[in-house]
Amino acid sequence: METLMSLLVGLFFTIGTYLILSKNLLRIILGTSIITHGVHLLILTMGGLKNGGPPLLGESFAAFTDSLPQALILTSIVINFAVTALFLVLSYRAYKALGTVDVEQLREVDNE
Amino acid sequence: MNNLVILPVIIPIIAGLLMVIFRKNIGFHRWAGILALFSLLLVSLLLIFQIDSSGIQTLQAGGWKAPYGISFAADMFAALLLLCTSVVALLCFLYAFRTIGREREEHYFYPLFLFLIAGVNGSFLTGDLFHLFVCFEVMLIASYVLISLGGTRVQLRESLKYILVNVVSSSLFLVAVAYLYALTGTLNLAHLSVVVAEIGQDGLMTTVALLFLLVFSIKAALFLFFWLPESYSAPPAVVAAVFAALLTKVGIYTIFRMFTLIFYHEPQITHQLIGVLGAVTMVLGACGAAAFSDMKKILTYNVIVGAGFVIAGLASFTVDGMTGSVFYLVHDILVKALIFLLGGAIIRLTGTSKLNEMSGLIRNHPYLGWLFFTAALALAGIPPLSGFLGKIFITKGAFQSEYYWLGAVGLASSLMVLYSLMKVFMNVFWGETTMSKGMEKGSIKGLMFPISGLTVLSVLLGIGAEVILPYIRLAAETLLAPSLYIEAVLGLGD
């Protein structure tokens, strides 16, 4: 299962990197989002996949699943959500002000 | 347990939230901001005295015992940086009153400024790796908005690049955190240090350490500074000053923390690489500073040189080198803010940042001219100003650990820094006075107070080094003795 997850994480990173290297701003933003999702899966895998019961008092399992990675992912999802929202709004604003979402053309915007 | 440790994070957040509630009342924003930043100053002074008398101060959030909860720890290094942060933040805040403009004030400039400070302080104080990530994000999200606030075309373009670079590096940060968690099973910095010492820093662990170095190098503008010159040229002068003084320093601080507390077992790999990165950074930054004839570019490249210099002290890994680094870091925060504020004042007068379009300002603004001269000398490290001692100690440390090339590169880059700033000084202040008072684009009335304040502090830091040096040395010695930090956070019983 861990191997499968690792491959999936690799796939996410590949797609994300491909999108970030494209010229369209929207694709770039989606690329960062996909990479972050890859990172979340990585944290989950690294913390050890399900290998015990839920870590609750009163349950009688021999082993408990580590709940910390899930807490980390939850925090990270919230942060990623906020950043992506801000990034999208800013790119929309940039599109209205600069008239393009092509990064090649953004480079030519004069410095005034 | 000491509740004082959390105040530098809470005070700016509460003040910022109150400002958001009373958004129409700009007068309230200003007074609340001054009050909050001034109390930060007092808290950090108090922390310094407590640490001096009774060692590292810690706080376990919610009473959860380390390593299960989130720990906060203030050692002398963090407390000194807190003090500098609050001084620079307060003076930049005052500078913003006259320069930032009504439009930005009404669109949450002051709350964002305070959130940024909260993130910076949180990064200095936290004792938990994931919480460090969260503090970084608080700081970065505030900086994303500050860099784009105002919405000029250049700002929008640069903020897009800035956000992209930082989002990607934050993802890499999390990747490194995930790997480290898989290897050690903990995220508390003190506990990490214990575990890494126990299981040994093998090849895998060193790789993770290098991944962390990569992430923090992007934030600290160490070698991977490709994004910095453009981004820091775009926003208004006061925002650029705060970024230059504080944001890159947070990256440097975390490099120091990680590589003195956790990954200190393989210095011939990690610290040598850090030294090489520092040297390359200094060379490239100095070339950039000498090559450009645009004042904003010259100043931003000087930020890069400074980052390389501080890191050189870490690479030497001796008490002298560390003392120099901490001293230089304190000096650099003050003087970088000062030189950016001065640059902002000059651009405000002339309406341009191109050196060949201005000359002879000294006739109408002698005070501004001599302050710039003093700041330039301090930055280059001319005695008795504040840069001198830091450079002496860093060079001494580099020679002690036989990194002769590193010391040589540092000294050569200081000359280049002096050259680049003298180029600015001679072009802007000397020569024929082409602009009469009436032709000036803006007034610098009221800007002189924060600028003079920072200059006085820089001179005092140089002259009064005897008084400050014991604290700096304590900070350096604590950095080199990780067991002190571990005992303070985990408790003696563990």
Side-chain angles (χ1 to χ4, degrees):
Chain A
M1 192 65 186
E2 265 84 358
T3 321
L4 212 59
M5 286 289 272
S6 305
L7 286 174
L8 188 62
V9 171
L11 190 66
F12 267 75
F13 268 81
T14 318
I15 298 171
T17 313
Y18 175 75
L19 285 176
I20 286 181
L21 292 179
S22 66
K23 286 179 188 165
N24 188 320
L25 206 51
L26 220 51
R27 281 165 173 260
I28 293 177
I29 298 172
L30 288 177
T32 62
S33 198
I34 287 176
I35 281 199
T36 322
H37 289 317
V39 172
H40 296 158
L41 284 181
L42 181 73
I43 296 178
L44 199 66
T45 319
M46 286 289 129
L49 294 170
K50 194 170 188 309
N51 48 13
L56 296 172
L57 286 176
E59 301 275 343
S60 52
F61 290 106
F64 293 105
T65 306
D66 188 357
S67 62
L68 191 65
Q70 289 155 33
L72 304 186
I73 292 168
L74 198 59
T75 317
S76 175
I77 287 175
V78 175
I79 293 174
N80 177 41
F81 175 69
V83 172
T84 309
L86 179 74
F87 206 175
L88 280 170
V89 168
L90 209 65
S91 68
Y92 178 63
R93 180 70 205 274
Y95 170 66
K96 286 184 83 172
L98 308 171
T100 177
V101 285
D102 190 316
V103 283
E104 289 274 316
Q105 286 165 358
L106 277 181
R107 187 203 292 258
E108 289 152 18
V109 169
D110 47 351
N111 282 336
E112 289 309 318
Chain B
M1 294 289 257
N2 183 349
N3 282 328
L4 214 56
V5 178
I6 192 75
L7 285 183
V9 187
I10 291 185
I11 292 174
I13 287 186
I14 291 179
L17 289 176
L18 282 177
M19 287 179 187
V20 173
I21 295 172
F22 301 104
R23 69 163 289 204
K24 297 278 179 215
N25 194 342
I26 300 298
F28 171 77
H29 281 199
R30 291 180 171 185
W31 282 110
I34 290 178
L35 198 67
L37 292 171
F38 193 72
S39 44
L40 275 189
L41 188 69
L42 295 182
V43 169
S44 42
L45 276 175
L46 206 57
L47 264 179
I48 286 182
F49 287 120
Q50 284 189 354
I51 295 165
D52 191 35
S53 61
S54 54
I56 297 173
Q57 301 295 313
T58 58
L59 175 74
Q60 314 294 349
W64 287 83
K65 208 162 171 291
Y68 304 108
I70 293 175
S71 316
F72 289 84
D75 64 349
M76 189 50 100
F77 184 41
L80 284 172
L81 292 179
L82 275 183
L83 180 66
C84 297
T85 305
S86 47
V87 169
V88 165
L90 185 60
L91 290 171
C92 288
F93 199 77
L94 294 175
Y95 188 92
F97 288 176
R98 298 265 177 180
T99 56
I100 203 70
R102 193 79 194 169
E103 190 89 316
R104 287 194 176 91
E105 279 184 330
E106 278 175 358
H107 287 88
Y108 307 107
F109 174 79
Y110 296 127
L112 286 165
F113 189 97
L114 288 182
F115 292 147
L116 181 85
I117 300 298
V120 170
N121 287 348
S123 310
F124 289 153
L125 289 173
T126 183
D128 184 282
L129 198 54
F130 192 78
H131 191 239
L132 180 69
F133 167 75
V134 175
C135 290
F136 257 101
E137 290 301 313
V138 170
M139 173 181 96
L140 286 174
I141 292 175
S143 77
Y144 298 156
V145 186
L146 280 177
I147 206 171
S148 58
L149 194 65
T152 61
R153 292 159 67 89
V154 182
Q155 271 184 308
L156 285 172
R157 187 188 63 187
E158 294 311 325
S159 60
L160 288 174
K161 281 198 274 183
Y162 178 77
I163 296 179
L164 180 61
V165 168
N166 278 301
V167 168
V168 172
S169 80
S170 293
S171 301
L172 290 178
F173 189 176
L174 277 182
V175 171
V177 168
Y179 285 151
L180 196 58
Y181 186 71
L183 286 172
T184 61
T186 179
L187 289 174
N188 184 298
L189 292 180
H191 197 215
L192 272 173
S193 175
V194 175
V195 174
V196 171
E198 256 170 31
I199 61 179
Q201 190 177 338
D202 54 3
L204 206 54
M205 197 70 89
T206 307
T207 314
V208 175
L210 293 182
L211 189 53
F212 273 112
L213 183 62
L214 173 83
V215 171
F216 296 136
S217 300
I218 297 178
K219 314 265 184 200
L222 184 70
F223 185 56
L224 299 167
F225 57 74
F226 54 90
W227 54 272
L228 187 137
E230 299 274 326
S231 303
Y232 281 21
S233 310
V238 62
V239 176
V242 175
F243 281 17
L246 300 178
L247 288 202
T248 52
K249 303 302 181 292
V250 176
I252 293 175
Y253 167 84
T254 38
I255 292 181
F256 268 78
R257 189 57 87 209
M258 296 301 281
F259 286 90
T260 58
L261 183 63
I262 302 171
F263 302 117
Y264 58 89
H265 303 284
E266 295 280 352
Q268 67 275 25
I269 301 174
T270 49
H271 290 68
Q272 188 152 10
L273 181 66
I274 289 174
V276 172
L277 288 181
V280 176
T281 311
M282 283 191 273
V283 171
L284 294 178
C287 291
F292 279 96
S293 63
D294 181 299
M295 189 163 63
K296 283 182 172 175
K297 285 278 160 56
I298 294 177
L299 296 186
T300 48
Y301 273 101
N302 270 308
V303 175
I304 295 164
V305 181
F309 216 96
V310 177
I311 284 301
L314 174 64
S316 76
F317 217 51
T318 57
V319 176
D320 279 327
M322 287 295 204
T323 311
S325 279
V326 178
F327 194 91
Y328 197 80
L329 204 53
V330 168
H331 145 84
D332 205 51
I333 291 178
L334 295 175
V335 179
K336 281 285 145 53
L338 170 63
I339 202 100
F340 270 78
L341 294 185
L342 279 165
I346 293 169
I347 290 171
R348 201 172 163 76
L349 280 175
T350 57
T352 172
S353 65
K354 303 212 168 30
L355 287 183
N356 51 14
E357 287 174 17
M358 36 188 162
S359 83
L361 277 187
I362 197 121
R363 187 175 299 277
N364 289 331
H365 300 280
Y367 190 53
L368 185 69
W370 292 118
L371 285 183
F372 189 90
F373 187 67
T374 319
L377 292 189
L379 205 53
I382 307 287
L385 295 162
S386 54
F388 177 64
L389 261 179
K391 291 203 171 177
I392 287 246
F393 277 117
I394 292 176
T395 314
K396 193 172 155 197
F399 283 177
Q400 270 173 2
S401 49
E402 298 188 340
Y403 286 135
Y404 296 110
W405 47 275
L406 192 56
V409 168
L411 293 179
S413 75
S414 300
L415 276 181
M416 298 285 266
V417 165
L418 186 63
Y419 165 72
S420 71
L421 289 170
M422 282 305 124
K423 188 171 69 180
V424 175
F425 179 70
M426 285 161 65
N427 268 299
V428 175
F429 290 101
W430 286 4
E432 208 173 320
T433 307
T434 48
M435 257 179 32
S436 66
K437 282 234 167 205
M439 285 161 67
E440 282 165 9
K441 301 285 189 297
S443 151
I444 57 164
K445 203 164 136 277
L447 300 188
M448 277 308 157
F449 171 68
I451 292 177
S452 318
L454 281 171
T455 314
V456 169
L457 281 176
S458 160
V459 173
L460 282 184
L461 189 61
I463 296 172
E466 276 306 318
V467 186
I468 305 154
L469 209 55
Y471 297 100
I472 306 258
R473 198 160 272 275
L474 180 63
E477 280 161 3
T478 318
L479 277 178
L480 285 173
S483 56
L484 291 175
Y485 189 93
I486 296 168
E487 274 170 24
V489 174
L490 295 183
L492 290 168
D494 289 313

